[in-house]
Amino acid sequence: AFGGLSFPAHLGVVHHFIGVGNAADDQAVVEQTLRARQARRLGENLVVVAMGADSQEWFCLDVNRARDDGEAPVVLFDARDNAVDQEFYADFEQMVSEVLEFVEETMTVARD
């Protein structure tokens, strides 16, 4: 299951979580992943779930490395280099948790 969520660029490294949509929705997980595979030869094992600060930074689940519980690590794919840059999070839950924590801290500092 996938959902969608966006943050202003100044609030973190991950700027846009890709959501679920229909074929007409450019920002749906399936459409974004298929477009990335065609344009940048993204591996069949990667599913785009979020965009980074740069439009060429894609956070992807590496489904070939899924644990026994089905959760997969989140890697950063650099479309400019057409390669996985690094593993960023152990799983999607950690990604969302850390991004939300960072946003909360940033907003708290901004209010003070």
Side-chain angles (χ1 to χ4, degrees):
F2 296 93
L5 181 63
S6 293
F7 297 108
H10 68 282
L11 292 180
V13 174
V14 177
H15 295 262
H16 180 75
F17 287 90
I18 308 295
V20 175
N22 56 43
D25 183 1
D26 313 5
Q27 296 303 313
V29 170
V30 172
E31 286 71 25
Q32 185 75 26
T33 298
L34 291 175
R35 197 169 37 260
R37 287 180 182 163
Q38 291 170 348
R40 299 289 184 178
R41 299 179 309 277
L42 186 71
E44 294 289 321
N45 60 309
L46 300 176
V47 175
V48 180
V49 294
M51 307 304 284
D54 182 315
S55 64
Q56 300 297 303
E57 294 175 341
W58 306 334
F59 289 91
C60 303
L61 296 176
D62 185 346
V63 297
N64 280 356
R65 296 178 44 218
R67 302 183 307 236
D68 290 341
D69 65 0
E71 294 296 324
V74 178
V75 298
L76 179 63
F77 184 87
D78 187 332
R80 290 173 300 252
D81 296 335
N82 198 35
V84 171
D85 184 49
Q86 63 179 304
E87 181 176 317
F88 242 76
Y89 304 100
D91 54 36
F92 189 72
E93 179 181 3
Q94 180 191 18
M95 178 182 186
V96 172
S97 176
E98 288 187 21
V99 168
L100 291 176
E101 184 178 308
F102 184 81
V103 168
E104 182 178 13
E105 288 173 7
T106 303
M107 292 178 74
T108 300
V109 169
R111 282 190 297 240
D112 293 341

